[in-house]
Amino acid sequence: MGYEAIIGLEVHVQLKTKSKIFCSCSTEFGALPNSQVCPVCLGLPGVLPVLNKTALEYAIKAALALDCRIAKESIFARKNYFYPDLPKSYQISQYEEPLSSKGFVDIITDGKLKKIRITRVHLEEDAGKLLHEEVKDSTLIDFNRCGVPLIEIVTEPDIKSPREAREFLAILKSILQYIGVSDCNMEEGSLRCDANISVRPSKEETGKRGNGETGKELGVKVEIKNMNSFKAVEKALEYEMRRQIKALEEGKRIVQETRLWDENKEITISMRTKEEAHDYRYFPEPDLVLMEIDREWTERIRKSLPELPEARKARFSRDYKIPDYDAGILTSSKELADYYEECIEAARRSPVADRRSPVAGRKFNKEIANWIMSELLRELKEGNIGIEECKARPQALAEMMTLIDKGILSRKMAKEVFVEMFETGEKASWIIKKRSLVQISDEEALTKIVDKILKENPRVVEDYKKGKEKALGYLVGQVMKETKGRANPQIVNKLLKEEL
Ligand SMILES: [Zn+2]
């Protein structure tokens, strides 16, 4: 306590182009090692790189979606360093005059809107991949990833907690997926995040100690690498915060260095002292021309941007009249938002929905939202699959929801039906027929059960007659229990009222 963290992130995102950034080799993931290489991406002597126009277009698209200004002129630079996965011994990146700068992303933290400024978004090429575990005591190199287009997104040190860092990454990922420039798959390495963190006494604390305005001074920053998930980023930052505070309390000096996150031990380990920018001997790439970015082209790209998550969330709560919280979850990924809208659309087209009043429609929108957020998301999580691979299609879910609405299917039975629908992709009406799961709507049969329940609960009956409305709900529940959830609740309601 008494300390605050200052966090900045560097996010590398692989662009979803078919070919590499400076040659025509394929970027397809999972190909045989070193099968997607050529003299350009292997850095053989005498070759010339040529910029992939789609990579530039995607980078501009991402920069615009993050509210960055696109530079009129931009250049590539050589970042010089030796590493076995970098055959040229330099990476083509951008240093001075990057593609874009000065953007921002809004995040919600403690229920309040907060701006995280984006320093820059620039283009660069990826390096190869070292494989340490394939052959004992050896390291193999796969150059397929060499020259795959990346954008690097750098934030200002505006992030104040590990939680905020995670929040920012989730929003960034969703924006990039919405605009379709990257699949942001962390397992396949198409989204990677490094973090810079330092701690300093918080403002209140500095005041208390009578140190005056020193709260503005930044502590020594440490870079953390090797975090493979948003959760890992949060955990690594939490660990690092604790480590640095402990060191400061013990009067130790914090070293500017790069540390690796060890996922299994949940600690960060010192890797090397952090290099400064001048260690890389950046200089303008002589093999590539200056990029003059046409304003009209930029404007055309701006106009082609789809509805972004924030705007879609606002539209969901406005048009479908669902709570902000629901709208936030449903628009957290483009695929999930599409799923919800397709569901609503299918339900509207169904003959039952046509007779709906706007009020009933609103209730229905909320019910579909509830079902997706509870049942569907749970099944997806348990099966560890993405919504795009989900067999239960929106049309099938819409049909099931109308069956619940018509009283053919009880909510309890629907849960079972849905599990099967999720596994097989079959329609609810088919599953019901196959398993003879139809609701009991036979009044004669239900009256017998209703009478039995009334006899067993004289106290509750008394309460109801005294005007306690809630008592009815309890009695309905008892009938449902007796019929193992198969009784039609509307009819049970009607019969109970008549008998009472
Ligand atoms: Zn190539």
Side-chain angles (χ1 to χ4, degrees):
M1 283 301 105
Y3 288 88
E4 64 178 11
I6 311 286
I7 301 165
L9 299 178
E10 277 174 26
V11 185
H12 289 91
V13 179
Q14 185 183 325
L15 298 175
K16 227 165 54 179
T17 55
K18 289 202 177 72
S19 57
K20 294 187 181 178
I21 185 168
F22 300 122
C23 63
S24 56
C25 291
S26 168
T27 56
E28 189 80 34
F29 181 82
L32 216 61
N34 300 310
S35 63
Q36 294 168 170
V37 290
C38 75
V40 175
C41 52
L42 285 176
L44 302 188
V47 293
L48 282 175
V50 177
L51 180 62
N52 178 337
K53 190 178 175 187
T54 308
L56 177 58
E57 184 186 330
Y58 283 3
I60 293 175
K61 213 171 182 178
L64 289 173
L66 301 174
D67 268 289
C68 285
R69 289 187 212 158
I70 308 296
K72 229 170 118 191
E73 289 181 347
S74 179
I75 56 167
F76 282 102
R78 285 190 184 180
K79 181 181 183 181
N80 297 284
Y81 67 97
F82 172 78
Y83 207 63
D85 64 7
L86 191 70
K88 295 198 295 283
S89 276
Y90 63 84
Q91 176 195 25
I92 303 180
S93 179
Q94 295 197 280
Y95 184 57
E96 284 165 333
E97 302 182 53
L99 177 71
S100 70
S101 56
K102 293 190 176 131
F104 68 89
V105 168
D106 280 331
I107 64 165
I108 307 273
T109 176
D110 297 325
K112 272 185 268 165
L113 208 64
K114 180 175 173 180
K115 246 184 199 31
I116 305 295
R117 289 171 297 157
I118 305 284
T119 318
R120 56 196 271 156
V121 174
H122 74 236
L123 256 176
E124 61 184 32
E125 60 178 343
D126 207 348
K129 203 173 165 186
L130 297 180
L131 308 161
H132 304 288
E133 273 141 38
E134 317 286 304
V135 179
K136 200 172 176 281
D137 297 328
S138 305
T139 294
L140 304 178
I141 311 178
D142 178 5
F143 287 120
N144 282 354
R145 214 175 60 185
C146 252
V148 162
L150 301 178
I151 44 172
E152 180 174 323
I153 301 162
V154 184
T155 78
E156 291 288 314
D158 288 346
I159 299 165
K160 290 279 145 57
S161 71
R163 175 86 230 163
E164 278 185 21
R166 187 175 174 176
E167 186 66 29
F168 168 83
L169 288 169
I171 290 178
L172 179 70
K173 179 181 172 185
S174 130
I175 292 174
L176 296 170
Q177 282 179 325
Y178 262 74
I179 60 174
V181 299
S182 174
D183 54 27
C184 297
N185 187 332
M186 282 188 104
E187 280 104 61
E188 291 179 5
S190 50
L191 191 152
R192 284 165 265 160
C193 172
D194 301 332
N196 285 299
I197 174 169
S198 64
V199 296
R200 66 179 178 195
S202 62
K203 278 193 194 101
E204 304 87 67
E205 204 65 18
T206 350
K208 256 189 267 167
R209 286 177 187 170
N211 290 356
E213 275 293 305
T214 51
K216 280 193 186 114
E217 236 166 73
L218 295 176
V220 176
K221 73 178 175 187
V222 167
E223 187 185 28
I224 316 173
K225 285 183 180 286
N226 200 35
M227 300 167 288
N228 305 321
S229 65
F230 293 171
K231 209 169 150 193
V233 172
E234 191 179 6
K235 272 194 183 164
L237 287 170
E238 276 168 2
Y239 173 83
E240 193 54 27
M241 234 181 124
R242 284 198 303 274
R243 189 188 71 85
Q244 292 186 19
I245 291 170
K246 188 162 173 271
L248 289 178
E249 298 267 293
E250 288 168 0
K252 285 183 192 150
R253 205 169 60 89
I254 288 167
V255 191
Q256 178 167 334
E257 61 181 348
T258 301
R259 298 178 72 88
L260 283 185
W261 171 243
D262 185 323
E263 183 78 55
N264 297 321
K265 293 186 188 145
E266 301 203 336
I267 55 169
T268 62
I269 305 154
S270 178
M271 181 193 177
R272 55 167 190 247
T273 53
K274 165 87 179 151
E275 49 299 272
E276 304 275 353
H278 64 246
D279 291 331
Y280 289 115
R281 302 292 190 271
Y282 280 100
F283 65 86
E285 165 62 66
D287 288 342
L288 284 161
V289 293
L290 172 117
M291 286 189 282
E292 267 184 70
I293 296 155
D294 183 34
R295 289 284 126 184
E296 273 177 42
W297 190 39
T298 306
E299 285 317 305
R300 273 206 304 280
I301 297 172
R302 193 192 299 278
K303 283 197 189 100
S304 78
L305 284 179
E307 185 181 35
L308 295 176
E310 267 310 301
R312 199 168 191 186
K313 180 184 163 193
R315 180 169 63 79
F316 271 28
S317 50
R318 186 183 65 233
D319 291 0
Y320 301 128
K321 312 270 187 260
I322 53 172
D324 275 348
Y325 176 79
D326 296 24
I329 292 180
L330 292 170
T331 54
S332 60
S333 87
K334 184 175 180 291
E335 287 74 21
L336 191 63
D338 288 345
Y339 190 99
Y340 178 67
E341 290 211 280
E342 277 171 42
C343 226
I344 299 271
E345 199 44 48
R348 274 195 188 147
R349 275 198 308 270
S350 89
V352 211
D354 283 346
R355 295 189 297 272
R356 289 179 180 286
S357 67
V359 178
R362 197 178 303 172
K363 202 177 127 223
F364 204 62
N365 294 342
K366 174 72 178 125
E367 270 164 21
I368 293 180
N370 286 349
W371 199 277
I372 291 177
M373 292 191 301
S374 55
E375 308 301 318
L376 178 64
L377 289 186
R378 192 187 55 234
E379 290 295 328
L380 288 173
K381 202 177 164 199
E382 277 173 13
N384 195 22
I385 57 169
I387 185 115
E388 57 286 349
E389 305 155 78
C390 170
K391 282 186 184 159
R393 297 318 302 154
Q395 293 73 15
L397 179 58
E399 186 219 32
M400 192 189 83
M401 297 306 289
T402 46
L403 291 174
I404 297 175
D405 197 56
K406 278 201 260 180
I408 295 168
L409 198 59
S410 75
R411 224 159 272 279
K412 201 174 164 209
M413 287 190 286
K415 285 186 183 178
E416 282 173 45
V417 168
F418 184 71
V419 172
E420 189 165 342
M421 185 196 281
F422 189 85
E423 275 162 18
T424 61
E426 281 165 357
K427 278 170 68 178
S429 47
W430 170 247
I431 299 169
I432 293 168
K433 209 179 275 171
K434 204 173 63 180
R435 294 171 52 175
S436 358
L437 275 172
V438 180
Q439 257 190 162
I440 309 173
S441 299
D442 175 7
E443 296 207 6
E444 208 175 308
L446 285 176
T447 306
K448 278 184 197 153
I449 299 164
V450 163
D451 285 341
K452 178 172 173 267
I453 295 298
L454 290 178
K455 235 176 249 158
E456 284 171 7
N457 297 282
R459 260 242 179 91
V460 187
V461 171
E462 208 48 35
D463 283 349
Y464 179 76
K465 285 184 177 160
K466 278 184 197 149
K468 225 176 165 188
E469 290 281 331
K470 268 189 187 161
L472 187 69
Y474 175 79
L475 294 169
V476 174
Q478 292 305 303
V479 177
M480 296 309 284
K481 211 171 156 191
E482 186 75 23
T483 58
K484 296 190 173 67
R486 289 176 63 214
N488 179 323
Q490 277 92 353
I491 296 177
V492 172
N493 248 294
K494 189 189 87 160
L495 290 175
L496 270 171
K497 277 187 187 160
E498 281 172 12
E499 297 293 311
L500 283 163

